[in-house]
Amino acid sequence: MLALRKSTAAFGADLVHVDAPPGPGAGRVTIAVAAAGICGSDLHAFEWTPGYGFMTAFMPVTLGHEFSGTVQVVGDGVTALAPGDRVTCWPTVPCGDCAACSAARPQHCQGRRIVGLHADGAFAEQVVVPADNCRRLPDGLPLTVAALAEPLAVAVNAVDVAELGPGDRVVVLGPGPIGISIAFVAQLRGAAVLLAGLDDAARLDLARRIGIRATADLCGGSLEAAVRHAFGGEADRVIEATGSARSVVEGLAALRSGGVLVVAGIHSGSLDLDLTGFVRSKKQLRAAHDTTSRAFDEAIRLLAVHAATLEALITHRRPLAEAGAAFELARSRQAMKVLLLPEAVATQGEG
Ligand SMILES: [Zn+2]
Ligand SMILES: [Zn+2]
């Protein structure tokens, strides 16, 4: 089968023919992939940005962790799933025996493995995953839209970490798929949301079509001024999904005393912070990464209810055989979410 693999510790990835995976083994299932989204982390792995060196030990490894599909084969001991079930998958596999796992906090497992980064993922016709990581899809939720479950779950978790409430004034920085999803979830929870981008007219336009009521394009202007203009004062919460350390500094400046800033982007740079000013302002700096089981389930429920709206995040669908061009598209800011479809699915035009 065709697979997009990271084989060397350098820029790029290889589209190669590999053997189909052997039987799934106990507790695992083989999934026929229907659709797999290209994520920011896939682009970091592709571009080999700092922070992804951990992958070297697992190469060659097939990329792709945002996916949906149909169960083909179930391994011994799997009773919750059967062939034919339509599923999506939380790609984080906890180690199962560290202190965090023993304390039922698998999201804090530092030995966790991510399908598509540490183990073969879904930019292929088939992927093998633990059955426990799979979630059966509600009837009527298209498989293509279900491939958004993982990034939406990351957004739900970031909103959870922000602990925002109805009426809070929330600034979301970065109108990519995660930022728009964060703004969407925060609005659903009753927050007043301002989604800000930098020279981002097309992506902010898409955000407004998805229902984000207030957006700001900061080409040249300051975030503080845009926030004052939108809210008449400072923000209660800022959630960053840009990957730019500067946006964290600007976000802190737009935040009220005691407010919370959540860093959700993956940053290759470091933060230079005036610590005395930070301490005196009593602002809270938090990190959100990956997601939780609870947030994953909520994301699937949200997708089922808002499928027609959130489908607009999928701007491009490409056959897996065109993965190279699809990655170039995803690296440009022209695309929002690019899905790769295994050839058989792509030619059927699965909806
Ligand atoms: Zn992702
Ligand atoms: Zn663990």
Side-chain angles (χ1 to χ4, degrees), residues 37-42 65-66 91 150-151 154 178 337:
I38 300 177
C39 172
S41 355
D42 297 318
H65 61 269
E66 303 179 353
E150 197 270 351
V154 167
I178 298 288
K337 184 57 74 181

Side-chain angles (χ1 to χ4, degrees), residues 30-290:
T30 303
I31 295 172
V33 176
I38 300 177
C39 172
S41 355
D42 297 318
L43 299 181
H44 286 302
F46 183 93
E47 292 169 1
W48 205 239
T49 52
Y52 283 75
F54 70 87
M55 291 180 70
T56 308
F58 303 92
M59 289 178 192
V61 64
T62 301
L63 298 171
H65 61 269
E66 303 179 353
F67 61 95
S68 61
T70 306
V71 174
Q72 267 187 326
V73 187
V74 300
D76 287 347
V78 174
T79 53
L81 292 170
D85 283 349
R86 302 159 69 250
V87 294
T88 186
C89 178
W90 181 18
T92 298
V93 183
C95 79
D97 59 21
C98 69
C101 286
S102 304
R105 290 183 284 108
Q107 68 272 25
H108 293 298
C109 172
Q110 292 302 310
R112 62 187 185 269
R113 297 280 182 255
I114 314 254
V115 173
L117 291 174
H118 302 88
D120 284 340
F123 292 150
E125 282 158 46
Q126 294 178 327
V127 61
V128 177
V129 294
D132 286 349
N133 284 64
C134 295
R135 301 286 192 282
R136 216 185 276 111
L137 298 175
D139 291 341
L141 176 57
L143 283 166
T144 42
V145 180
L148 297 174
E150 197 270 351
L152 186 59
V154 167
V156 169
N157 177 62
V159 172
D160 284 346
V161 170
E163 290 185 292
L164 57 82
D168 278 348
R169 297 169 298 187
V170 177
V171 175
V172 180
L173 302 175
I178 298 288
I180 291 180
S181 300
I182 288 170
F184 186 83
V185 175
Q187 262 190 199
L188 283 180
R189 293 196 186 172
V193 173
L194 175 68
L195 175 65
L198 190 61
D199 237 340
D200 257 322
R203 301 199 298 174
L204 290 169
D205 189 51
L206 176 59
R208 282 190 297 275
R209 278 187 277 133
I210 281 172
I212 307 307
R213 289 187 279 274
T215 61
D217 197 343
L218 304 175
C219 28
S222 85
L223 177 65
E224 251 183 298
V227 170
R228 255 197 321 276
H229 179 75
F231 295 145
E234 294 163 317
D236 300 301
R237 299 286 185 270
V238 175
I239 308 179
E240 174 277 335
T242 65
S244 149
R246 216 187 98 199
S247 73
V248 177
V249 175
E250 290 171 355
L252 282 170
L255 191 63
R256 68 161 165 82
S257 168
V260 174
L261 186 146
V262 175
V263 181
I266 296 291
H267 293 257
S268 51
S270 51
L271 178 63
D272 188 7
L273 187 61
D274 161 22
L275 280 169
T276 300
F278 175 66
V279 168
R280 285 181 176 147
S281 72
K282 300 173 200 161
K283 294 174 187 178
Q284 307 293 304
L285 191 56
R286 299 182 185 173
H289 185 235
D290 199 341

